[in-house]
Amino acid sequence: MVAAGGEPSMQDAAFAALLVESGLVGRADLEEAAALAGNSDRHVDEILIERGLLDPRALVKVVATAWRLPIVPLSRSRIDRGIFFRWSAELYLAENWMPVHEGREGRVLVATARIPDADRTARIAAILASQVEFGVATSSEIRAAVLRTTNERRTRRRPFGFGGRGR
């Protein structure tokens, strides 16, 4: 929840306000999770979910309604590896979004766990060099999908689970 320089980003501040105002979490739990997130590579909603303080299904419903976006069920979605592997998994995890596949009219469907305001939309569209459309996923879902997709690529490169050098 803290951007470079020690201040919460506008994205994270708006997300935190939504969590509290919707009644999904209490301010004290949010502040504790934010402190833990500040000392790790995890996002605040991941920590709240892991600690049993936030129901991920309730989270995506509230966020999708507030942002007027569809929910992207990443565990069941087709991930276009041609788009996905153009950029790094680290970028997706740090910025809390990932490309899913080409959608309507050539736009790339992007799963996001933070509000796609004008700045975020422009940044992601510039990175992808494409028009984008957004859907909602939790940070945990994005992390799991990024790691699963990355691990599938590694497994495909090593037949039978071996490193490739014969002895």
Side-chain angles (χ1 to χ4, degrees):
M1 292 221 5
V2 178
E7 293 296 317
S9 71
M10 289 181 64
Q11 288 280 319
D12 290 335
F15 183 72
L18 177 61
L19 292 177
V20 173
E21 290 167 8
S22 67
L24 288 173
V25 297
R27 188 163 304 282
D29 289 335
L30 178 67
E31 289 173 2
E32 183 179 342
L36 293 170
N39 295 320
S40 75
D41 66 343
R42 310 295 272 186
H43 296 281
V44 69
D45 55 321
E46 288 178 283
I47 291 169
L48 289 165
I49 290 168
E50 288 167 3
R51 299 181 100 195
L53 300 171
L54 179 59
D55 177 2
R57 291 177 306 265
L59 172 61
V60 293
K61 287 178 184 174
V62 165
V63 170
T65 300
W67 298 346
R68 296 185 173 101
L69 293 173
I71 296 170
V72 178
L74 289 174
S75 64
R76 298 186 315 264
S77 294
R78 176 185 58 84
I79 307 298
D80 183 329
R81 287 163 176 74
I83 296 171
F84 180 90
F85 286 113
R86 290 182 194 164
W87 298 274
S88 74
E90 291 80 13
L91 171 72
Y92 304 141
L93 295 174
E95 296 190 8
N96 225 350
W97 63 271
M98 67 176 283
V100 180
H101 56 77
E102 194 170 297
R104 292 177 270 147
E105 300 173 10
R107 295 173 188 240
V108 175
L109 174 62
V110 173
T112 183
R114 297 298 178 267
I115 190 168
D117 60 16
D119 290 340
R120 184 172 181 84
T121 299
R123 174 168 167 65
I124 293 171
I127 290 169
L128 297 177
S130 176
Q131 290 186 329
V132 296
E133 59 187 8
F134 291 95
V136 174
T138 68
S139 298
S140 299
E141 291 170 318
I142 291 171
R143 181 177 300 277
V146 166
L147 295 176
R148 182 178 59 252
T149 305
T150 303
N151 288 337
E152 286 172 0
R153 182 179 198 189
R154 287 184 187 130
T155 302
R156 287 181 183 162
R157 287 184 175 176
R158 290 182 273 147
F160 308 111
F162 297 109
R165 283 204 164 137
R167 292 197 187 245

